[in-house]
Every structure is written in structure tokens, then in C-alpha cells.
Amino acid sequence: DSGVTQTPKHLITATGQRVTLRCSPRSGDLSVYWYQQSLDQGLQFLIQYYNGEERAKGNILERFSAQQFPDLHSELNLSSLELGDSALYFCASSFRQDNNSPLHFGNGTRLTVT
Amino acid sequence: LAKTTQPISMDSYEGQEVNITCSHNNIATNDYITWYQQFPSQGPRFIIQGYKTKVTNEVASLFIPADRKSSTLSLPRVSLSDTAVYYCLVGDRWSYSGAGSYQLTFGKGTKLSVIP
């Protein structure tokens, strides 16, 4: 158990809808990362937060947004959903924000857009 | 950016020791080497991290030569449950992808298949 909690585990919704994915980082970790992994694809970095502030951004679509709250949990909001957004969404956390700090991943939210 | 190169796939029989080598010729002085394991439909799991020489934990060993231009993840006596994708990451995981955005790159990893 990595200590990172993601909810929900599964989400099925229709095109055009909006969903919110939630992540609770490992106790004591200040940095949260979001990744997208489509079928047989690699891990695509979306965005990173550190202690409530955005630190880095990958190729995150404008329809997607995220935030990290004062209690350090994070939410990823996906709107105007398309079929191609169906994927596994992972959250990871680390204690520091530097490049050598190991990442601890949750078990992901599987999003299916129909 | 410290680019890494590792084999796309490897096969091994149960009970054998598996060594997966990762090349990172332009590793920087402050960079650590970190390995992750990912099972299908699960998040990657941190396995081991090292800076130089040898690191061992309950799961694996990591061998790093003096020049640090490569590293080898060693899995002792693999079982079917070790079938997974293994990723090697080196320190500076960030790469600029244009228009102000950065990628925290994981690469494609090595798909290890353990055969009965």
C-alpha cells in the first residue's frame, strides 16, 4: 500500500459531461502529481502541485484543471468529456518537489466515457 | 535532461535472477537513479533508488558502476508475479515540451515476462 488514496476507483460517464477525481497524498507528502495512461500507452504527465501551488504543467488539455487544497488533497476536474479521455488517471505524491524525490502512486481512477 | 535507454522487453524463467540494465550517459552529479515497477491497471510502485555502488532492499538490488553511466536492477529468483513493466528514471525527470510546459518523463520501460 503506497499510502496514496484515489477515489473513485471506477467512473463511467457520457460525452460532454464533467467529472472530478480526488487524490489524498501519502501522509507528510507535500507534492502531488497527476498522470494519464491510456490503453497500452505510457504515463503522460498532466500537472504537479507543491504545498498548494502549481509547480509544473505537462500537455494538459484546457478542458482539464486541477487544484491542491490546504489539507494537501488534490482534485482533477475533467470537463466536456470526449471518448478519447477514457483512460486510467493516476495521482502520485512525494515529500519534496525536487527531481530525486521518489514518487508514490495511487491505484488510479479508471474513467470510461461512453 | 538525463535520457535513459533500457530494453523494450525481456523474458525469464521462474526462479532465475533477472538483470535489467539502464543506460544514462549524461547523468548529472546530483542525479539519483530510481526504479519503478508497474503491473497492468495499477500505479507504478517505487522499488529502489541509489546514487553509487550498490543498494539492496527486500525487493531488489541496484548496481551502479563508478562512472554512473549505467545501472542494473537485479531481481533475485523471479516468480510469475514479477511480470510487469520496469521503469528506470534518472534525477532530472523534466524535459521541456514547448509552449511553457514540462514533461515528467517515464519513458517506455522494460516489459518483463516471467515464464513458468
Side-chain angles (χ1 to χ4, degrees):
Chain A
D1 183 10
S2 68
V4 177
T5 304
Q6 288 189 249
T7 56
K9 291 184 179 179
H10 301 277
L11 199 50
I12 301 174
T13 188
T15 55
Q17 295 298 306
R18 171 190 169 95
V19 297
T20 298
L21 312 183
R22 182 188 169 101
C23 170
S24 294
R26 211 172 55 134
S27 178
D29 284 356
L30 301 176
S31 198
V32 170
Y33 308 74
W34 285 98
Y35 284 85
Q36 178 193 57
Q37 189 172 41
S38 302
L39 192 63
D40 294 330
Q41 297 293 312
L43 288 153
Q44 302 296 316
F45 169 66
L46 296 178
I47 199 164
Q48 179 206 4
Y49 284 84
Y50 178 78
N51 205 19
E53 294 188 6
E54 182 182 304
R55 273 292 180 263
K57 193 179 268 192
N59 287 331
I60 187 168
L61 300 172
E62 287 191 7
R63 300 183 286 109
F64 295 2
S65 65
Q67 56 182 330
Q68 186 180 29
F69 295 87
D71 67 353
L72 301 178
H73 91 272
S74 178
E75 292 180 356
L76 178 67
N77 300 298
L78 315 176
S79 61
S80 302
L81 285 169
E82 302 175 358
L83 295 178
D85 298 326
S86 295
L88 265 169
Y89 291 85
F90 291 109
C91 168
S93 71
S94 66
F95 176 62
R96 305 185 308 266
Q97 60 175 329
D98 66 86
N99 297 326
N100 291 315
S101 186
L103 301 180
H104 300 272
F105 283 80
N107 281 325
T109 292
R110 181 176 293 280
L111 174 66
T112 302
V113 182
T114 62
Chain B
L1 171 67
K3 180 180 169 63
T4 61
T5 302
Q6 50 183 125
I8 297 294
S9 63
M10 292 180 69
D11 293 335
S12 175
Y13 288 101
E14 271 191 298
Q16 290 189 330
E17 178 184 75
V18 171
N19 296 309
I20 306 174
T21 297
C22 179
S23 297
H24 28 80
N25 290 323
N26 56 342
I27 187 170
T29 303
N30 295 331
D31 287 346
Y32 279 69
I33 300 152
T34 311
W35 286 81
Y36 294 85
Q37 173 193 55
Q38 186 180 25
F39 298 113
S41 298
Q42 293 187 25
R45 180 175 76 112
F46 167 77
I47 301 176
I48 197 166
Q49 183 181 66
Y51 183 79
K52 62 180 179 181
T53 62
K54 177 184 175 182
V55 180
T56 297
N57 61 23
E58 65 278 5
V59 176
S61 295
L62 179 60
F63 298 92
I64 305 167
D67 66 5
R68 303 201 328 119
K69 292 183 183 299
S70 67
S71 59
T72 299
L73 175 73
S74 181
L75 305 172
R77 298 180 301 281
V78 294
S79 64
L80 296 177
S81 62
D82 293 315
T83 294
V85 177
Y86 293 83
Y87 297 95
C88 162
L89 271 75
V90 174
D92 185 356
R93 299 189 291 263
W94 301 100
S95 65
Y96 183 65
S97 62
S101 66
Y102 288 82
Q103 296 285 347
L104 191 66
T105 53
F106 258 76
K108 296 193 182 299
T110 297
K111 186 173 183 178
L112 172 66
S113 298
V114 180
I115 306 164

